[in-house]
Each structure stands twice: as structure tokens, then as C-alpha cells.
Amino acid sequence: MTSSPHALISGAGIAGSALALRLAAYGWRTTVLERTPRRRDEGHNVDVRGAAREVLRRMGLEDAVRAAGTREVGFRVIGDDGRAVAEIPMDPTGPTDGPTAELEILRGELARVLIEAAPTSTTFRFGTRITGVEDRGTADGPARVALDDGTTVTADLVVVAEGLRSRTRELVFDDVTVRETGMYGAYLTIPRTTDDDAWWNWFHGTGSRRVHLRPDNLGTTRAMLTFLSGVRGLETLGDADVRTVLRRTFADAGWVAPRILRELGDGQDGAPMYFDAVGQVMAPRWSSGRVVLLGDAAHCPSPLGGGGTSLALIGAYVLAGELASHPGDTAGALHRYEELLRPATDRAQKLPPLRLANPRTRAGIRTLRTAFRTVASPAGKRVTGLLGATPTGAVDTFGLPDYPAPSSSSVATTSRR
């Protein structure tokens, strides 16, 4: 009697949790590592589009994701007077989603849905990370993985499903780079006020600054501040210094920037915040022996192009399906996974010129607002990709393969609430 294969997955986010769920359905034992001490509930709005929605259906999770959604009703461009100059409502009847998808959800909520659906054959180890990988290849036995708690785990497959700047990826892949875009983003959770609505409100300030407010389903509001800069390395600053940079950068930005800066505080009592440089992962290969990259660790397209969450779900589905379709041929399954997914991720990483969507001057902002008015007009509503306002169509046109149906005996779940 052959024992079930074992997958060690680093990262309990969208890609890692989805893969664990799908592999478990095919009879794999899965161990998911997460460096944070608990499930990461934080995170801003993400969406599930195109083929990724079909992935959720096949996993039986579409209704759960819909129930946990943010209820965002559409996208608005805000003028200098605080009023909408263009708006594109969410349209569930359209052939593709617009800027606001039908399935909008907080990143933490989507991770929660996936983790709570995990079966008993999946083990989650929080506060744990990989410190070393000894991989003897796909034919000479399992990989040995050293963890920071001093233990060693053997695995038939090691999956790095971390983020843009994955440290675990660096242990195995020395040829992966991060393409910096020159944009920085601060993501905050702030108290909701009576003036906040259910729209994604987007304001452009001079100097290539943008201010966003978006609704959530938890009684708060999600705020985002983005700006272009020729200075590199701001993401390495300490929290207090980052907040100083944001206060100085957005002091005269306009609209609700003063409100957000008040909530920013001094780092001791300020709003919860995540800050990073916006970049893209350039990985010439996604696998080495028994180690494979998944999600943002493999192909982060950046929030500028959109579709990262959907590609993470699609990638998890394809990787699990290829492994199930090629039992005993890990190398072939990993090759086929990359072969199928690479064209879509390459397309998702093709961004419009950043200056076009982030003008420096008032004249440029007026031109941009005029373009959005055109898109929002009855004659222009069929235009869906202008200026990067909507995610790439890569996830809409991806042809999702059909894989063997999971065994019903391997998908029994237990509550992880």
C-alpha cells in the first residue's frame, strides 16, 4: 500500500491555501507554513474574475466567497470638488467584469474562506518558516526542508507560495528579479464615516499622486495612497519614517487626503498600514527539482495590471490538476503547469505607461478624467481596458483545463474557525 504524497507549502495566502485544498482533494497530505503567528486577516480589496470564478465553482466555494464580499457597487473617478466626474457601475450581466468585479472580497476574507474549507489532511503551522532546502531531484527521494524551529520535514513537493519579495524563493532560485515600477503604495484600514459609500472612489492629485477609498464588509473603510518616485528603497524604511514620507507627500494632495493623514498617526496609535514598492516578479523558471513557485512568488503582475488573485487561484488549480494527471512524474507535471500558465502571466504583466494613468500636471489630470468620462458614457461602456483601470483580460480568456474529478472521500472538511 503506497502512502499519500506529501506537499510542503510555504505561504498561507490565496495561492498556498487554494493549492492545499485542491491537492487534499486528490489525496495528498499537505502542510502549510506561515511565518506570521496567526492567520493573516489583514489585506485590501481583491477580485476573482474570469476562469478563477470557475475554479471557485469547481472547489465548491463560489457562494462562500460571494457571501463574504465587500458589496462594492462600482468605480468612480472623483473631481477636485469631491464629486464624481465619471462612474462605471458593476455589471453582473456583462461578458467580462469592469473595474469592480462581481466577486470583490478582502484578501484576508478570501484566505479565511479557503483555510476554513481545508480538510483534516491539511496541517497549518503558523509562526514557522523555511530556512533551508536540500533537494536531491525528482528521482532520488523526497526533499528535506529545514525549518526555523529546528525541525526537518521531508516532502515530495515543496511549494513557495509567498509574495513579491519572497525570502524562501531566494534559497533555491538565484535568477529571479523584481522589476521595480517606481510606484509606492500605502494601504490603510480607517474608521468608516457617514460620507463613505459602497463605491471604489479614485482621486488623482498633481505630482502623480492617487487617493482611493473602498468599502469593506467589516464596518471600516479601506484607504490607499499611491505615488510615483524616482527614489528607490523607501519600502525599507521603518514604520515611523514611512508615515513621515506619506504625510509630506500627500499634505496638499486634496480630496480626503487630510482625513487619511489624520488617521495615519505617528506609528504608535495610527491606523493599521501596509506599505511597499510596487513591483513585478521576473522568474525565468518556476521550478527546480521538487521545488516550485506559485502565485505572486512566481509571476506577481503588480496591482497596477490586476488579476494577481485570479491568477493565483488558476495557478493552484492547474498545478494540482497536473500533479493528479501525472502521478509519479513530478517533473513533467511542473513543466506542464508552467507551460499552460506562462502565457497568461506574461500577458498580465504588460502594463500601460504609468505616466498615462498617473499624470503629474493638472492638464494631464483633465485629459485623464475626460477619457474616463468617455469610457463611462453609453457609447464607451464596451471599452474595458483603458489606462489599466480594469485588470488584464488574461484571466478572462484563459482556457481552464479539465482534470480528473477529486475523490469524494478525500474532501471531507473540518471547521477551522
Side-chain angles (χ1 to χ4, degrees):
M1 182 176 180
T2 305
S3 62
S4 300
H6 177 223
L8 182 68
I9 302 169
S10 182
I14 308 307
S17 299
L19 178 66
L21 187 56
R22 195 66 183 173
L23 283 179
Y26 286 122
W28 283 62
R29 292 181 299 111
T30 53
T31 301
V32 183
L33 308 178
E34 172 57 50
R35 62 181 178 83
T36 59
R38 56 170 178 79
R39 188 185 72 210
R40 293 177 57 194
D41 294 327
E42 67 273 13
H44 272 233
N45 307 57
V46 298
D47 48 49
V48 182
R49 300 169 179 266
R53 287 188 59 176
E54 179 60 24
V55 170
L56 289 182
R57 286 193 195 100
R58 296 182 187 186
M59 295 172 69
L61 295 177
E62 184 181 17
D63 290 344
V65 170
R66 187 184 304 279
T70 64
R71 311 297 193 272
E72 186 173 286
V73 299
F75 169 84
R76 278 177 175 162
V77 176
I78 303 299
D80 294 333
D81 60 359
R83 298 181 180 179
V85 299
E87 61 181 37
I88 304 175
M90 186 272 291
D91 180 10
T93 66
T96 59
D97 287 312
T100 290
E102 186 178 355
L103 292 185
E104 293 280 348
I105 186 171
L106 297 177
R107 178 235 171 255
E109 284 286 270
L110 180 53
R112 175 187 62 78
V113 169
L114 292 168
I115 290 173
E116 289 181 353
T120 55
S121 58
T122 295
T123 299
F124 286 87
R125 296 178 61 172
F126 293 95
T128 308
R129 64 182 179 86
I130 294 174
T131 58
V133 178
E134 179 187 341
D135 178 22
R136 292 173 292 177
T138 59
D140 299 319
R144 291 174 56 85
V145 181
L147 308 181
D148 63 348
D149 61 4
T151 62
T152 300
V153 177
T154 60
D156 300 286
L157 181 70
V158 180
V159 184
V160 181
E162 300 175 358
L164 171 71
R165 305 181 193 280
S166 167
R167 294 181 181 180
T168 306
R169 181 181 61 208
E170 297 175 357
L171 298 175
V172 179
F173 299 86
D174 59 5
D175 52 358
V176 177
T177 59
V178 175
R179 176 193 291 164
E180 304 291 354
T181 65
M183 176 174 282
Y184 292 92
Y187 308 83
L188 300 92
T189 301
I190 62 176
R192 180 177 295 176
T193 71
T194 55
D195 293 330
D196 293 339
D197 54 32
W199 290 80
W200 172 9
N201 293 295
W202 187 6
F203 174 81
H204 295 81
T206 55
S208 300
R209 297 172 294 180
R210 298 193 299 188
V211 181
H212 305 248
L213 291 181
R214 302 188 74 171
D216 68 22
N217 60 316
L218 302 179
T220 50
T221 292
R222 306 295 161 135
M224 183 166 63
L225 303 172
T226 66
F227 62 99
L228 294 180
S229 174
V231 178
R232 296 293 181 265
L234 295 180
E235 75 280 5
T236 66
L237 296 175
D239 184 77
D241 289 334
V242 166
R243 292 173 191 260
T244 297
V245 168
L246 292 173
R247 283 195 294 270
R248 292 178 178 177
T249 301
F250 287 87
D252 62 346
W255 191 43
V256 296
R259 169 192 167 191
I260 297 172
L261 295 181
R262 285 194 300 271
E263 297 295 341
L264 198 61
D266 61 3
Q268 299 297 318
D269 57 355
M273 182 187 70
Y274 172 76
F275 179 83
D276 199 3
V278 177
Q280 295 181 314
V281 170
M282 300 289 107
R285 57 195 174 113
W286 292 354
S287 63
S288 175
R290 291 182 180 270
V291 184
V292 63
L293 303 176
L294 178 67
D296 279 353
H299 49 68
C300 177
S302 87
L304 302 176
T309 298
S310 293
L311 287 171
L313 289 168
I314 294 169
Y317 175 87
V318 170
L319 178 55
E322 290 301 320
L323 289 164
S325 299
H326 301 85
D329 182 16
T330 302
L334 300 187
H335 173 77
R336 180 65 175 160
Y337 148 72
E338 182 172 348
E339 183 180 58
L340 287 171
L341 207 63
R342 176 75 77 166
T345 61
D346 287 348
R347 181 180 174 190
Q349 290 186 329
K350 296 184 185 302
L351 301 178
L354 288 186
R355 293 292 180 187
L356 194 63
N358 301 271
R360 295 190 58 84
T361 66
R362 294 194 180 279
I365 292 172
R366 286 195 295 270
T367 299
L368 184 67
R369 290 172 179 168
T370 298
F372 274 116
R373 287 192 192 97
T374 301
V375 173
S377 68
K381 285 185 177 179
R382 293 185 179 180
V383 180
T384 59
L386 183 70
L387 304 175
T390 60
T392 174
V395 296
D396 291 320
T397 58
F398 185 85
L400 201 64
D402 291 320
Y403 292 116
S407 169
S408 59
S409 62
S410 62
V411 296
T413 62
T414 183
S415 174
R416 296 179 183 269
R417 297 179 186 274

